[in-house]
Amino acid sequence: MFQPNLMEALEMGQNTSESEVPRIREDEFDSATKSGSENHEGASGEDQDPRPNKKKRYHRHTQHQIQEMEAFFKECPHPDDKQRKELSRELGLEPLQVKFWFQNKRTQMKTQHERHENTQLRTENEKLRADNMRYREALSNASCPNCGGPTAIGEMSFDEHHLRLENARLREEIDRISAIAAKYVGKPVVNYSNISPSLPPRPLELGVGAGFGGQPAIGVDMYGAGDLLRSISGPTEADKPIIIELAVAAMEELIGMAQMGDPLWLTTLDASSTILNEDEYIRSFPRGIGPKPSGFKCEASRETAVVIMNHVSLVEILMDVNQWSTVFSGIVSRAMTLEVLSTGVAGNYNGALQVMTAELQLPTPLVPTRESYFVRYCKQHSDGTWAVVDVSLDNLRPSPSARCRRRPSGCLIQEMPNGYSKVTWVEHVEVDDRGVHNLYKQLVSSGHAFGAKRWVATLDRQCERLASAMATNIPTVDVGVITNQEGRKSMMKLAERMVISFCAGVSASTAHTWTTLSGTGADDVRVMTRKSVDDPGRPPGIVLSAATSFWLPVPPKRVFDFLRDENSRNEWDILSNGGVVQEMAHIANGRDTGNCVSLLRVNSANSSQSNMLILQESCTDSTGSFVIYAPVDIVAMNVVLNGGDPDYVALLPSGFAILPDGTISHETGPGGSLLTVAFQILVDSVPTAKLSLGSVATVNNLIACTVERIKASLSGETA
């Protein structure tokens, strides 16, 4: 029988876990690991009576006892104390004997399961290796159907990766069967589906932490989200197969998201927009980049429009990081291609794949930018539709300070007659927006600040602008219309650079260091300085930028019309000194009369002052508007109007960004406006000079006075 001191210890520690109970030594239970039919009467050798002369006793269970415990094991492999005591009473055994028998039986089953699983995985591995060899042989013997010559593997499309996906699904089936078996033996199952079940587990020798589980990788130390674009390098060789398979899976999801209707996308009560049914999304697309991080919110939107550009040009804009940044300069503050994994095949972007970083912005210093590390994949589908998809790679380079993840987002582009294209845009992100200023919370939380509608509206407006630049049949009836083709192109190129410069300098980009001035007359004014040296597009010296954002109880369209109208300019423009502003020339940029490039002349009231020219571009769509301007040299503008190179015209753009406040309703119509005012002033023409406090005070007073004049004029309109 058991020793009393051991039994007392067991009764006192009934609540301890199995791992804390001393294990039976294998040499005392060698037969138990084979059949589960033998067990020692006592506990482990460490807890036995240390008397050396006492011979160890063994106890062989009867066939009846084994059969009963086997039957009970099938129903319950983990009996509790009460069940063990009841079994021991029925079978004439001690509870500890029953406990050890079940423990050994579980060990035996676990060993058998692992042996079977290893055999199964080995067989599957051999099959995959044979498939791989077959594909390699087929590729090496492949020939071009056009010329009969050998094909270059680097030019193959990504269709073959669907075969890899199929192999991965077979691995999933093995994992599923293993999980069912593990349920009965208590073996934990490692799940690699956080990223995508189609991805194989990463080899341990890569030296990354827990890999896809969201743990930071070794050697990737992020110093803050602001360093994202500067610190992330291109993918490693080991990452590339994973990136490819993730891109293929993301493409499938994007097409589904773009084409599915109810119940995935639900129409709002006012029928003005659609919202994503998150539960249905998880059911429809169980594969993905893992669950939503804690504290993050989901933003999902979809928008469709017909734009005046052919599908080939649209794909080229999206796949060329410079064109993409230019066309979407109001949204993309910085972007970079880290590595091109494929340039596509047959001389186009079909199959093109590139790893990128980008920083997305709202034109105000009060909303943090959204930085992403992602892969962009372009594919031509059989029905003549092209698709371009982005999906985050943050799990390959985890950063605890990252505030945004892009689930599969992008657009489907369908060719239409007469050079038009139908674009369906899906924007799906998870973001931590707790850093957003209260003034912009409503707009951002509504999803309109960074949603699909803003991307599509910007694209539509820019396509009209590009069509205008290419136009040749310009009507000459209007006075001031520039009909010279080369002059139009040069002036529009100069205005485009002005807009890009303004947008890049007004946001909360991590490339900027804004300083907030206290005790100002206007809402928080933020300033920053930079030195301009050897830049032909900017005047040399110290430039002081100042910006502020505030709310106006006036619809955005009225604010836009007021600010772009040269007849009301002297109401707010202090630098015009009350002079009469006259439009000398303009270029229409689309259907909306507010979309145009203008050349304005300020006829000063003081005849001794020389007249000043102002280049201005105004642009508007349903999601926001800009009025951006810069003083320009008369001689330089004459060169531009005659088709000269605009890159050597020095510009310091200032202006306004007008956004809706997000409170549109059918009862009251459009809500108020969120207006950002930004000035750039050359405070010293010597780049090495030090900034004086007087210069800061002057610019601060200038912006505060401008804000007060705008408020007074617009409140007078509403009164």
Side-chain angles (χ1 to χ4, degrees):
M1 297 298 293
F2 287 90
Q3 299 167 16
N5 60 341
L6 179 59
M7 289 301 297
E8 288 171 5
L10 286 169
E11 289 171 0
M12 290 173 62
Q14 282 183 351
N15 294 327
T16 58
S17 65
E18 285 188 23
S19 61
E20 293 171 339
V21 177
R23 300 291 302 271
I24 302 173
R25 291 195 312 195
E26 291 183 8
D27 60 343
E28 295 178 14
F29 293 96
D30 55 339
S31 59
T33 60
K34 297 174 185 175
S35 65
S37 62
E38 284 187 5
N39 208 336
H40 185 224
E41 277 190 3
S44 69
E46 294 173 356
D47 291 324
Q48 289 187 51
D49 191 328
R51 288 174 292 179
N53 295 331
K54 185 168 181 179
K55 189 176 180 182
K56 296 176 183 176
R57 291 180 296 165
Y58 293 85
H59 175 80
R60 182 180 294 276
H61 298 315
T62 67
Q63 194 64 31
H64 171 70
Q65 290 171 331
I66 293 171
Q67 287 175 349
E68 289 296 316
M69 287 191 287
E70 290 273 11
F72 196 92
F73 183 88
K74 289 180 181 177
E75 298 296 326
C76 177
H78 289 272
D80 56 24
D81 288 343
K82 183 178 178 182
Q83 290 170 316
R84 286 198 296 265
K85 285 180 181 178
E86 193 170 331
L87 262 178
S88 66
R89 190 166 53 251
E90 290 175 1
L91 302 178
L93 297 171
E94 291 294 334
L96 194 59
Q97 288 178 291
V98 175
K99 178 174 183 164
F100 287 149
W101 186 91
F102 274 86
Q103 185 173 286
N104 292 334
K105 182 68 175 177
R106 286 194 298 271
T107 303
Q108 175 193 6
M109 291 295 291
K110 180 178 178 181
T111 304
Q112 290 176 354
H113 168 73
E114 288 178 342
R115 191 178 297 120
H116 173 70
E117 184 184 32
N118 287 341
T119 303
Q120 200 172 18
L121 290 174
R122 193 177 295 112
T123 303
E124 181 65 24
N125 192 34
E126 290 298 328
K127 182 186 171 191
L128 293 173
R129 187 178 286 112
D131 287 346
N132 189 28
M133 292 297 293
R134 193 169 74 252
Y135 296 147
R136 282 178 182 273
E137 186 177 351
L139 286 172
S140 64
N141 296 328
S143 61
C144 175
N146 295 328
C147 66
T151 59
I153 292 178
E155 295 178 350
M156 298 295 289
S157 73
F158 284 101
D159 289 340
E160 64 263 30
H161 294 295
H162 287 286
L163 296 172
R164 295 190 189 184
L165 285 175
E166 189 58 34
N167 287 337
R169 289 192 184 101
L170 293 174
R171 282 195 293 270
E172 277 183 13
E173 187 66 15
I174 294 171
D175 290 342
R176 188 178 67 80
I177 295 168
S178 300
I180 294 171
K183 194 166 106 178
Y184 294 101
V185 294
K187 178 181 181 241
V189 177
V190 179
N191 183 7
Y192 293 98
S193 61
N194 311 24
I195 287 277
S196 167
S198 65
L199 303 182
R202 297 191 56 188
L204 295 176
E205 62 267 17
L206 292 183
V208 287
F212 295 112
Q215 299 298 319
I218 293 172
V220 181
D221 186 12
M222 299 296 288
Y223 294 97
D227 295 321
L228 180 63
L229 297 184
R230 295 183 291 276
S231 63
I232 286 190
S233 58
T236 63
E237 286 300 318
D239 288 337
K240 290 176 184 178
I242 297 169
I243 292 172
I244 291 167
E245 294 182 7
L246 182 58
V248 172
M251 179 64 73
E252 293 176 3
E253 181 174 319
L254 173 71
I255 293 169
M257 292 278 284
Q259 295 177 343
M260 289 182 184
D262 186 58
L264 182 65
W265 294 97
L266 304 176
T267 306
T268 54
L269 292 176
D270 58 5
S272 62
S273 60
T274 56
I275 57 174
L276 181 69
N277 181 342
E278 289 194 55
D279 294 334
E280 183 64 28
Y281 168 76
I282 293 170
R283 282 193 293 271
S284 300
F285 306 103
R287 298 185 294 151
I289 57 175
K292 183 167 59 179
S294 175
F296 280 49
K297 292 180 180 177
C298 172
E299 285 185 14
S301 54
R302 182 173 68 178
E303 192 73 20
T304 301
V306 175
V307 299
I308 181 170
M309 183 175 287
N310 69 65
H311 62 288
V312 176
S313 299
L314 279 177
V315 169
E316 185 177 334
I317 285 172
L318 295 172
M319 297 307 294
D320 181 329
V321 69
N322 294 322
Q323 290 191 58
W324 180 61
S325 302
T326 298
V327 169
F328 296 102
S329 58
I331 304 175
V332 181
S333 53
R334 290 188 295 167
M336 188 189 326
T337 299
L338 296 175
E339 185 161 350
V340 176
L341 301 184
S342 170
T343 57
V345 294
N348 60 35
Y349 283 104
N350 183 24
L353 192 74
Q354 52 196 39
V355 177
M356 305 171 67
T357 57
E359 182 184 59
L360 307 183
Q361 66 175 350
L362 208 60
T364 173
L366 302 184
V367 177
T369 53
R370 297 181 175 183
E371 295 169 326
S372 298
Y373 171 55
F374 59 95
V375 59
R376 176 166 291 178
Y377 176 37
C378 175
K379 184 170 175 59
Q380 182 180 14
H381 296 274
S382 56
D383 59 355
T385 300
W386 287 74
V388 178
V389 65
D390 297 344
V391 62
S392 273
L393 298 176
D394 298 298
N395 285 3
L396 298 181
R397 300 283 186 277
S399 166
S401 56
R403 295 193 301 264
C404 180
R405 293 202 314 170
R406 286 178 75 73
R407 287 193 175 274
S409 302
C411 64
L412 265 61
I413 303 167
Q414 188 175 346
E415 183 180 5
M416 296 186 73
N418 302 320
Y420 283 77
S421 298
K422 181 181 178 182
V423 176
T424 302
W425 200 290
V426 174
E427 198 65 20
H428 189 189
V429 300
E430 290 162 348
V431 64
D432 177 1
D433 60 6
R434 285 174 287 189
V436 175
H437 192 280
N438 286 335
L439 203 60
Y440 285 84
K441 274 200 183 301
Q442 177 70 30
L443 179 64
V444 173
S445 63
S446 69
H448 293 149
F450 293 92
K453 188 173 183 179
R454 187 169 170 229
W455 286 94
V456 168
T458 302
L459 178 63
D460 187 24
R461 173 169 51 78
Q462 289 284 48
C463 285
E464 286 193 352
R465 189 184 194 279
L466 289 168
S468 173
M470 306 288 285
T472 55
N473 54 340
I474 310 299
T476 57
V477 283
D478 293 335
V479 178
V481 173
I482 300 173
T483 56
N484 174 10
Q485 183 73 7
E486 294 304 316
R488 285 172 61 87
K489 283 186 178 179
S490 291
M491 187 164 163
M492 289 184 70
K493 188 178 177 185
L494 181 61
E496 180 181 73
R497 175 160 66 85
M498 178 178 69
V499 171
I500 292 171
S501 175
F502 175 84
C503 292
V506 76
S507 74
S509 170
T510 51
H512 304 156
T513 306
W514 289 104
T515 301
T516 303
L517 301 180
S518 57
T520 64
D523 299 74
D524 293 340
V525 174
R526 287 163 170 75
V527 296
M528 65 176 170
T529 60
R530 72 166 183 274
K531 294 177 181 178
S532 177
V533 183
D534 297 332
D535 183 352
R538 289 194 181 97
I542 297 178
V543 176
L544 182 64
S545 300
T548 188
S549 298
F550 58 97
W551 179 77
L552 282 168
V554 181
K557 186 177 187 313
R558 193 183 302 176
V559 178
F560 174 70
D561 289 339
F562 169 75
L563 292 172
R564 75 178 181 87
D565 186 359
E566 69 272 16
N567 295 320
S568 58
R569 190 181 187 97
N570 56 11
E571 293 184 36
W572 58 265
D573 190 354
I574 298 167
L575 298 180
S576 65
N577 289 325
V580 177
V581 181
Q582 178 186 2
E583 184 182 72
M584 295 177 61
H586 76 269
I587 302 171
N589 276 339
R591 292 163 294 187
D592 194 303
T593 55
N595 288 325
C596 70
V597 176
S598 305
L599 190 61
L600 309 175
R601 182 173 61 194
V602 180
N603 297 316
S604 175
N606 187 344
S607 58
S608 63
Q609 291 183 347
S610 62
N611 293 337
M612 179 173 61
L613 289 183
I614 294 174
L615 177 67
Q616 175 176 292
E617 174 153 0
S618 58
C619 48
T620 183
D621 58 53
S622 58
T623 63
S625 308
F626 293 94
V627 177
I628 301 166
Y629 62 91
V632 287
D633 181 69
I634 294 176
V635 176
M637 278 311 299
N638 277 328
V639 172
V640 170
L641 290 172
N642 287 317
D645 187 355
D647 290 344
Y648 293 94
V649 179
L651 290 176
L652 276 183
S654 299
F656 308 93
I658 309 153
L659 296 172
D661 63 4
T663 59
I664 298 174
S665 69
H666 286 294
E667 290 78 18
T668 59
S673 304
L674 297 169
L675 180 62
T676 297
V677 182
F679 287 153
Q680 290 190 85
I681 306 293
L682 184 70
V683 293
D684 200 310
S685 58
V686 181
T688 55
K690 291 186 177 180
L691 181 68
S692 67
L693 291 176
S695 299
V696 176
T698 300
V699 174
N700 182 43
N701 290 335
L702 173 65
I703 200 168
C705 189
T706 303
V707 168
E708 290 306 314
R709 286 189 175 197
I710 291 172
K711 286 181 176 179
S713 295
L714 286 172
S715 62
E717 281 188 25
T718 56

